[in-house]
Amino acid sequence: MTRPRLYVVHCVDAEGPLFESTEATFERLKEIYGLDVEPSHDLLTRLQQGSMRLGSPELERAVAETVAPRLLESYGTWETIDAMLDRLDRPALRMALPDVTGKGWIVNWHCLAHVGFDPGKNPRRRVLGVHAVFDHYLQRYGASPADRIHWHFHPVPRTREAHASATTYFNGPELFEVISRRVLERRWFPCVNRPGFHAERPDSHWFLEQWIPFDIANNNAGRHVDQPDAAGGRFGDWRRAPAEWVVYHPDHDDYQVPGRCRRAIARCLNLGGRFNRITQSDVDDAFTRARSESVVMAFSDHDFRDVESDVREMLDMLGDAAGRFGDVPWVYADAADAMREALGLNGGTHARFQVELTNKGTNTHRLDIRLDGPPFGPQPWLCYALRDGPVWYDNLDFGLDPWHWHYTFDRQTVPLGDVIRIGLATNTPAGRTTVTLIDPETGRQESAFLN
């Protein structure tokens, strides 16, 4: 029997540069607390120190936490982010506290695409584009033997403001476009999710249930949240989820409670955030639990803040606990590997597509798709790129045999002659990812095997 382990999983929501002026900071304070005052650096300092009387000590503490210097020191350019990443990647930091296997710190980069936003409504100067953030981290860490690239998504709000938040997945085509372009243009498909704003709802719950086996999402710290914009289940509602270090399969109707769904959800607290921050007590709880079962201890922060200082804070807590729990083996881990180990999944092999294109008559072609093993969800992801530029996602028709699907290209969908590339992607139940691209003119296929 394999001895239980503690898997230390650092998730960075990689969103690229973020600029916030002093005026914008006071706009946020007005939105969150109704605090309507004239912006100034002097007043900001007093709020940070808690010396500005606001009517109650509780409100003064909450405001001070919102505008804490560590949370306002954001990186507004790629140059400043890369300088921070250079510090993060120094061997002296990565190897400051080796795990029980001798490995150094590992980061899971959950890359966002700012798509569907109005460029004229981008005061935080976010980098817009399907691959803008993804390519930056792929170039930097794609060949890393340790760090991994994973998935992060922000639903687009009705206002299409690039700095605003939303929770619904299906008010526009952006989600399907981003994943389809990842498949068709980067030969990549997600197997680990980090929800934007920690927010899941029934629509995202059921979407993830079809495609992505691992969800680093449960943000329940078991403590009161004194930030009004995040209280009462606003955005990341995990109040009914386990407030302990467990991995669970959610219920069909409520992603927060254990049930019989396919995907697995792990707990993930904030590192350096303004609420639900991971504490020494939380780390100790993870070590205690790991004495009897394997544990995924996940925590998250953002790349537009000082990840290096967050890692140093976590190293202090981790070193403190490791010194007192010498009997607990712990390792830094890729999120997918950690979830597989905690769930006792056989890693297995990647699935392989068998694909055949058949001419069925004038402007009618049938694509037959078979897998040599079960997919994670009910069907693979199908997408294709058109000659005039757009990409398209669609459902498959189901065959009568297991792991067999088909799709018809005709005037009801699109004639095959208008298609320049077809993409298929799937995860196995153990989170092994396969992406296959097909050239419809030559029938040539190429595959990538990830995770």
Side-chain angles (χ1 to χ4, degrees):
M1 182 177 178
T2 304
R3 186 180 179 187
R5 277 185 170 183
L6 172 63
Y7 295 92
V8 178
V9 178
H10 181 199
C11 299
V12 174
D13 293 347
E15 302 179 3
L18 180 74
F19 167 81
E20 181 172 286
S21 65
T22 299
E23 290 74 19
T25 298
F26 278 89
E27 286 177 13
R28 284 201 296 121
L29 291 176
K30 184 176 181 179
E31 291 174 358
I32 298 172
Y33 302 101
L35 187 61
D36 191 3
V37 294
E38 188 69 25
S40 74
H41 290 287
D42 177 66
L43 180 54
L44 180 59
T45 300
R46 293 171 62 196
L47 292 172
Q48 291 171 331
Q49 296 171 344
S51 60
M52 175 75 175
R53 299 282 75 87
L54 300 176
S56 74
E58 293 77 17
L59 178 58
E60 290 154 14
R61 282 194 296 268
V63 170
E65 183 62 30
T66 301
V67 295
R70 71 178 189 281
L71 299 181
L72 296 187
E73 294 173 359
S74 62
Y75 298 113
T77 66
W78 277 124
E79 289 75 18
T80 52
I81 287 180
D82 281 333
M84 179 272 293
L85 296 177
D86 289 342
R87 298 192 301 272
L88 172 68
D89 291 341
R90 288 179 300 183
L93 180 60
R94 292 271 187 155
M95 293 299 299
L97 182 65
D99 65 18
V100 295
T101 69
K103 294 187 306 183
W105 193 273
I106 289 175
V107 181
N108 296 268
W109 302 99
H110 293 261
C111 295
L112 177 66
H114 294 106
V115 175
F117 299 100
D118 184 342
K121 298 179 178 179
N122 188 19
R124 305 294 191 271
R125 304 176 190 172
R126 289 188 177 274
V127 177
L128 306 182
V130 173
H131 302 309
V133 175
F134 183 87
D135 281 355
H136 195 90
Y137 284 93
L138 187 65
Q139 181 178 10
R140 184 162 185 132
Y141 296 109
S144 168
D147 288 10
R148 292 292 181 268
I149 307 294
H150 289 304
W151 172 251
H152 187 53
F153 180 69
H154 281 196
V156 179
R158 180 192 59 79
T159 63
R160 300 205 170 271
E161 296 175 85
H163 63 288
S165 307
T167 63
T168 181
Y169 268 31
F170 300 141
N171 273 357
E174 292 81 16
L175 174 64
F176 298 94
E177 178 186 359
V178 173
I179 294 181
S180 294
R181 289 197 182 276
R182 289 278 194 275
V183 170
L184 293 163
E185 299 167 4
R186 296 298 184 268
R187 292 192 298 175
W188 188 90
F189 188 70
C191 83
V192 181
N193 176 62
R194 267 284 307 139
F197 317 111
H198 308 288
E200 294 190 10
R201 293 292 189 272
D203 61 342
S204 50
H205 167 41
W206 295 325
F207 177 87
L208 296 167
E209 190 62 17
Q210 295 182 71
W211 307 111
I212 304 180
F214 305 133
D215 196 7
I216 312 296
N218 172 14
N219 195 232
N220 188 359
R223 297 184 283 274
H224 171 67
V225 175
D226 64 359
Q227 301 292 298
D229 60 328
R234 175 67 163 151
F235 298 116
D237 186 4
W238 295 96
R239 294 170 296 171
R240 297 182 302 281
E244 52 192 357
W245 297 109
V246 296
V247 175
Y248 69 96
H249 296 279
D251 180 75
H252 178 274
D253 290 339
D254 189 348
Y255 61 90
Q256 297 189 49
V257 302
R260 299 177 61 187
C261 283
R262 295 183 186 89
R263 86 180 184 287
I265 296 178
R267 189 181 188 217
C268 182
L269 300 184
N270 297 335
L271 181 61
R274 59 188 169 97
F275 60 90
N276 289 346
R277 296 181 65 193
I278 190 168
T279 65
Q280 185 67 61
S281 177
D282 297 318
V283 176
D284 292 352
D285 288 346
F287 272 83
T288 299
R289 194 175 193 93
R291 282 175 166 158
S292 58
E293 62 183 277
S294 289
V295 169
V296 176
M297 184 180 71
F299 42 89
S300 67
D301 53 0
H302 289 84
D303 64 337
F304 51 74
R305 296 203 178 101
D306 190 359
V307 177
E308 179 201 10
S309 64
D310 288 345
V311 169
R312 292 189 183 279
E313 178 185 350
M314 192 65 211
L315 284 170
D316 288 342
M317 291 189 286
L318 192 58
D320 182 282
R324 291 181 287 107
F325 293 84
D327 58 321
V328 176
W330 60 275
V331 295
Y332 302 115
D334 161 46
D337 287 341
M339 294 292 276
R340 277 190 283 264
E341 294 296 330
L343 293 164
L345 295 174
N346 178 1
T349 59
H350 293 83
R352 293 180 181 272
F353 287 105
Q354 296 176 341
V355 180
E356 183 180 8
L357 262 173
T358 308
N359 189 330
K360 292 293 185 180
T362 305
N363 286 329
T364 301
H365 295 78
R366 173 166 154 150
L367 177 69
D368 275 278
I369 303 158
R370 286 181 169 81
L371 277 176
D372 61 358
F376 164 71
Q379 64 178 348
W381 183 279
L382 167 74
C383 54
Y384 44 84
L386 303 179
R387 293 191 183 279
D388 56 355
V391 299
W392 195 258
Y393 158 84
D394 210 341
N395 286 303
L396 293 167
D397 298 321
F398 284 68
L400 296 178
D401 301 324
W403 316 329
H404 175 211
W405 304 265
H406 51 88
Y407 187 81
T408 301
F409 292 94
D410 60 11
R411 69 180 184 86
Q412 308 286 351
T413 55
V414 62
L416 188 63
D418 293 342
V419 177
I420 61 170
R421 189 179 301 112
I422 301 168
L424 296 168
T426 191
N427 285 300
T428 67
R432 303 295 186 188
T433 308
T434 302
V435 176
T436 295
L437 301 183
I438 305 147
D439 184 330
E441 290 188 0
T442 65
R444 184 173 178 269
Q445 302 174 28
E446 56 182 51
S447 296
F449 303 100
L450 313 171
N451 302 306

